[in-house]
Each structure stands twice: as structure tokens, then as C-alpha cells.
Amino acid sequence: MTTISDLALEVRSKNAGPFWVTMELFMRDADGYRAVSFVDERIVAELYRVDPGTIQIFRIPSLNIVKISFPRPVSQGSLRDRDMHAGQHHVPLALLAVRGD
Amino acid sequence: MDEIRILTPTGMLGAGWDEATIERGLALGVDVITVDAGSTDSGPYYLGSATAKTTAKAVARDLRSLLRAAARSGAPLIVGSCGTSGTDRGVDWVAGLVAEIQAEEGLDLPVARIYSEQNAADLKEHLDAGRIHPLPPLGELKAETLESCAHIVGMMGHEPIVEALAAGARVVLAGRATDTALAAAYPLMKGAPAGPSWHAAKIVECGGQCTTNPRGGGVHTTIDATGFTIEPLAADSACTPYTVAAHMLYETVNPFEMREPDGTLDVREATYTALDDRRVRVEGSRFHRAEQHTIKLEGSRVTGYETLSFSAIRDPLVLADVDAWAALLRHHVTARVTQTLGLADDEYAFDVRLYGHNAVLDAIEPETGAPREVGVMLLVNAPDQATATAVAKVANTLLLHLPAAAMDHLPSFAFASSPAEVERGAAYEFVLNHVVDSVTPTALFRIEYGAVR
């Protein structure tokens, strides 16, 4: 099984201000970029349990990058926040199997 | 226009750098030195408590290096978001360090302090006048939310910094400012085009993050009439079209557009070209002036007081179904707190986190399988510290001895330290994500010159 992470230079996540999470798939090449074209709002919503209507996806083919942003599901620094910088939230996406494999 | 050369030594004042990188930057020629000293990234505590994430010794070490460089080169030094959150106390803290260093080094660079703290009563007038608007995902602002904040700051654009520079300041210590305003201010003051000025400012805000070696120190940037050229300060690092373009994505929701107080940076048409193996040329950046200048607000309020307790489990009998054990723990903590302290469920709150199992991602953790050892963190939040600690103390015997459902003996788990509880003090949350329509670009900020009285 090939995961997104296998085809990427880096998959990362971070806060974009206190109210948003953003993550980037830096794919190795155009093939890798095409392989993650299946990642859409519905898939991200399922993985992260967020409302698909709040998800923003940006595709930058010239750099083989896909960027995904959505409102932080848990308030930063609150009792239930276990990832202050949202720095580890990329993992479920990185471990996702690439379709057609 | 003349070229404007910017030295940005790091993404965070207090992070440190190799002094050789500053020498290399000065050798390239420098018109302004800019450095960010703050962020909301580490959470609401720093704004709420008006304290810095960085330690005075590290900040002073970096300031000494930059004040010397500013004195030698004649370039002004601009520090933004002083004291991590940009509160007035943060500005005074950095100003105090600057004064000490200037005295020790025999320097006398004129200092301006720009205060960005806002009071709730003034903001309420803006709210009543319909000048405050929410940014997603937050909704309309209520007056009581403003009043609940421990501290509120406004994020300044370049204008107050330009005003301080024009008044003759050689060291500008800004309260909360957009990361970009620091590096954009001087070129804009000198008439550089807005597109390249704001785009360059965004790329340099994290220092060496836009290079092949983010640990290697900062960057040197030259802005001219048609674009900008950027290179690393470290000899063993490089800027490539990829590393520079990719930095537009860092900590932003939208990689193509970035809103500033007076307009929007638009990099859709930007081109990134390698000039050689370490320098990149960027052209085609645009800036669209907004019809309404706006200032973004940040506010943090106390949510309660926290006490933390940390035990650990290695016993395979418990780890075979540690989720069931955690559910049992939650049940017994609640029951025991009711029984012993007489607290209702809405009078306190707690979180059980199983580090080594699913603490980080919790319900969205995709991996399964039994862990070998698990750290059990109990985090309690209550309206006062004594109550939070009382709840943690009541939970102590459970964190130490609670058997799993199938066990008929009393286990003892591995506490990491004594005492078992750590009082964390006040806990905070960010509650503002709103903008104010500016009456003027500088009206919400106060500039003072000279040392702190």
C-alpha cells in the first residue's frame, strides 16, 4: 500500500493564526501531485471530522503542492487542545493510502 | 528609486544566530534591519498573561548583536510584536533591555516605542458605531467578550512604524504588528512599490525558513522598482525558487493572497527565478489597496485555573484495553469528586490524555494496536486553583491504583514525580478574530520616544 507520505517530500501541518489549521502536501513530482488529486473536501472532512463546507483546498501544480485549510476544531490552548501548534495534525492525511493502488 | 537592502537575522528574536551571518549581511550592504519577536502560535497564555515566551538573556544577546550592527551600518532596527504578544508590557520589557545594552555598549540610538494595547471601553465605541467585523470562523462580537479579555492588542500595519522612522527613530520597538509590516515599512517609506515590498516582507518574516537550511540564520533581501532578490546569510545555505515560493504557504490559510491593514498582497502572477545557486529573483507581485483600512484584534481571557497530574502504565493487563480503563477512570473521577467535594459536573472540567496511545490526535488517530507503555495525564480546569488541585488530589488514588475491569487485585502505577500535582495557574483562550475599520492607519496606536520613564 502506497501512502501520500511515500510520494511526498514533506507533509506538514501548522496553525494559521489561532483559529485555523493549515496543511501542505509537498509532492515529489508531477506523478505524485496527480496521485493526490483524489484528496477533496469530503475526504478531509471525514479524516478530521470537520464540516466540509469550511474546508479550503488550494492546488499549485507548478510546485506540485496541495494546501488544505480549515477552522481549528478545538480552541487553541483550551482544556481539550492536545496540539498547541497543530503541528502533528498532518499525520492522518500523510498515512492515507493513495487510490488505485 | 534606490534599492532597499533588508537584513533579517532570524524569524524570532531570542532564537539566536551565528554572528558570522550578521557580518556577511553587513558586507552585502544594509539599509534596514528587521526582526519579529512575537507570535500567537504558542497559544493564548502569552497575551493573556502579558509575558514573553522567550527568556531575557536570549533576547538581550540577540538585541546586542543587532544594536551593534545598526550602529555600525547606520541602518535602523525594527523589532515587531515585542514580548511575544506585543502588549505594552512586552514593549517596555524589550525597551528596558535595549536601554541597558545601549548604556553598556556606549550607544545612543534614538528609540521609539509603539504601543498597540487596546482598552475594551474604546473598542466598545467602535463596536457600537458598527466598525468591528468578524473574520471566519468567529461570529459577531459581543461587548461582554471585549470586557472579559485580560489583554487586547491591535495588529499594526507599516504606518505607525513609518511615522516613528520619519520622526528620527533608529530603533523602533513595536507592539503587536503584522509579521510583514516590519520589513515592508522602510521600503514603503522610501517609495518602493507595494507589491514587491509586501511580498518580500512575507518571505523574510521567518528568517531562514525560506532557504534550504532553516537552521542557518536569516536572509538578505534587496527591493527595487520591479521586484526583489533574496539570498541566505549563511554560507552553506541557498534560496531556490522552490524554497522561496513555498514560504508563501507557511502559516497562511490562503497561499495566493494575504490581507494587510491597508490592502491585499496578491502573488498569483509572481515569478521566481534562480539568479545563481543561492539567489532568487521575484517579480510580478501585486498589492491591491483596500477601500477600508482595517486593524485586526487579538484578545485573550482566563478560562479558569489548571492543575495537572501525570502517571504511567506499563502493565500489559491494563494496556490490553487501555481505552476501557480510561473510560473507567473518567467515570470514577466524576463519581468521587461528586461524593467528596460535592461539585456538580459543570463546576469543573477535566481531560484524560493517554500519551503513547492516542493523546495527540485523540478521536482522529488512524493507527490501531496495543501500546507498550502509556503516560496518563489528568488535566483539571476549575474556576479557582484550589478547586482544580482538590479535584486532582481526589483523582490521585485512582491514577495510582485503579484496576482494569478484569483485574481482581490492586495495581500501582508509575508516578513520574512527587508531588503528584502541578499547579499550572491561569489558563487562557483567544476570543477575538475581528477587525476594526480604522479611523486613520495610526489612530489605534501610541508612539513614545526615548527610554521608558
Side-chain angles (χ1 to χ4, degrees):
Chain A
M1 184 183 81
T2 305
T3 65
I4 288 180
S5 160
D6 293 332
L7 302 179
L9 291 167
E10 183 189 359
V11 182
R12 71 181 184 189
S13 60
K14 198 77 201 286
N15 291 333
F19 297 97
W20 287 81
V21 179
T22 189
M23 40 191 95
E24 288 105 26
L25 312 176
F26 294 95
M27 305 311 294
R28 253 178 239 288
D29 50 30
D31 287 343
Y33 178 77
R34 274 191 294 276
V36 295
S37 61
F38 75 95
V39 174
D40 60 12
E41 287 80 357
R42 195 181 54 78
I43 285 173
V44 175
E46 264 174 37
L47 270 185
Y48 290 95
R49 302 193 182 179
V50 292
D51 173 2
T54 64
I55 297 168
Q56 300 184 29
I57 299 184
F58 304 91
R59 300 180 198 275
I60 313 177
S62 60
L63 298 173
N64 298 320
I65 293 172
V66 178
K67 182 174 174 73
I68 298 155
S69 301
F70 53 81
R72 223 177 188 285
V74 179
S75 171
Q76 190 190 13
S78 72
L79 183 67
R80 314 275 169 207
D81 183 23
R82 286 108 173 268
D83 190 1
M84 190 66 58
H85 302 253
Q88 289 293 297
H89 268 66
H90 61 288
V91 173
L93 194 59
L95 294 180
L96 205 60
V98 172
R99 299 286 165 90
D101 213 55
Chain B
M1 62 163 283
D2 293 333
E3 292 181 343
I4 308 292
R5 298 159 299 177
I6 306 170
L7 174 72
T8 311
T10 182
M12 175 63 76
L13 186 72
W17 50 76
D18 180 353
E19 200 57 28
T21 62
I22 303 297
E23 291 299 327
R24 205 169 289 113
L26 292 178
L28 291 168
V30 173
D31 298 302
V32 63
I33 302 170
T34 70
V35 65
D36 190 9
S39 174
T40 56
D41 201 34
S42 297
Y45 173 82
Y46 302 100
L47 174 59
S49 64
T51 55
K53 186 185 180 188
T54 43
T55 191
K57 204 153 188 171
V59 172
R61 181 263 165 212
D62 285 1
L63 282 171
R64 188 182 303 274
S65 164
L66 295 184
L67 288 164
R68 283 178 181 158
R72 273 172 59 197
S73 63
L77 167 63
I78 300 168
V79 184
S81 300
C82 287
T84 302
S85 60
T87 58
D88 293 357
R89 195 169 144 197
V91 173
D92 288 343
W93 179 65
V94 175
L97 296 172
V98 166
E100 274 176 37
I101 296 163
Q102 293 228 66
E104 287 165 12
E105 297 285 326
L107 301 174
D108 194 19
L109 302 170
V111 174
R113 290 165 280 130
I114 312 178
Y115 294 100
S116 62
E117 243 184 88
Q118 311 294 319
N119 74 58
D122 292 347
L123 289 175
K124 198 169 166 300
E125 285 180 26
H126 289 291
L127 182 64
D128 291 342
R131 284 195 290 268
I132 298 187
H133 315 285
L135 298 174
L138 264 57
E140 292 296 330
L141 182 60
K142 295 190 177 74
E144 53 263 38
T145 304
L146 288 172
E147 285 153 11
S148 72
C149 288
H151 291 276
I152 302 172
V153 290
M155 289 182 93
M156 71 183 80
H158 64 290
E159 301 92 343
I161 298 168
V162 167
E163 186 178 318
L165 290 170
R170 294 275 306 280
V171 179
V172 178
L173 305 178
R176 190 66 173 131
T178 71
D179 292 354
T180 32
L182 315 176
Y186 187 87
L188 290 173
M189 182 174 86
K190 293 292 181 185
S197 296
W198 286 109
H199 193 182
K202 165 60 189 168
I203 299 302
V204 307
E205 49 132 9
C206 288
Q209 181 95 23
C210 63
T211 71
T212 55
N213 177 15
R215 294 166 212 83
V219 285
H220 182 276
T221 315
T222 306
I223 299 175
D224 57 43
T226 58
F228 67 95
T229 300
I230 183 163
E231 67 182 289
L233 294 174
D236 60 351
S237 185
C239 284
T240 71
Y242 189 84
T243 64
V244 173
H247 191 69
M248 271 311 294
L249 295 115
Y250 192 65
E251 293 179 338
T252 57
V253 170
N254 182 324
F256 305 118
E257 279 190 359
M258 191 160 186
R259 177 65 205 247
E260 292 293 331
D262 78 331
T264 301
L265 168 66
D266 174 353
V267 303
R268 280 182 185 78
E269 306 292 323
T271 57
Y272 304 82
T273 312
L275 291 184
D276 50 39
D277 60 3
R278 58 184 270 117
R279 292 185 306 151
V280 170
R281 174 77 185 160
V282 182
E283 296 194 344
S285 332
R286 291 179 299 178
F287 190 80
H288 310 296
R289 281 292 286 275
E291 283 181 24
Q292 175 64 58
H293 190 284
T294 55
I295 293 295
K296 191 173 167 186
L297 300 173
E298 291 172 351
S300 176
R301 73 176 170 204
V302 173
T303 62
Y305 294 79
E306 288 183 349
T307 299
L308 179 150
S309 195
F310 197 91
S311 185
I313 303 173
R314 178 63 183 84
D315 191 332
L317 294 175
V318 179
L319 297 183
D321 191 355
V322 71
D323 284 322
W325 180 86
L328 204 59
L329 175 68
R330 287 187 196 96
H331 169 76
H332 283 293
V333 168
T334 306
R336 196 72 63 87
V337 167
T338 307
Q339 185 188 61
T340 312
L341 303 176
L343 291 176
D345 290 356
D346 61 356
E347 290 180 286
Y348 70 103
F350 69 91
D351 193 29
V352 172
R353 306 175 178 188
L354 302 180
Y355 283 94
H357 177 51
N358 62 359
V360 177
L361 297 178
D362 196 17
I364 63 170
E365 173 59 57
E367 297 279 16
T368 53
R372 199 179 72 213
E373 64 179 44
V374 163
V376 182
M377 181 192 283
L378 174 77
L379 188 58
V380 184
N381 182 300
D384 59 86
Q385 191 77 66
T387 302
T389 298
V391 170
K393 283 179 181 288
V394 165
N396 179 270
T397 49
L398 298 165
L399 279 180
L400 177 60
H401 288 309
L402 180 71
M407 293 171 90
D408 53 8
H409 64 278
L410 201 66
S412 295
F413 299 121
F415 264 91
S417 59
S418 171
E421 295 83 28
V422 182
E423 294 193 335
R424 295 195 63 253
Y428 297 86
E429 66 177 341
F430 287 117
V431 289
L432 298 181
N433 196 36
H434 298 77
V435 292
V436 190
D437 293 340
S438 312
V439 176
T440 75
T442 56
L444 288 177
F445 307 98
R446 303 169 313 283
I447 308 182
E448 292 186 23
Y449 298 93
V452 181
R453 286 183 298 278

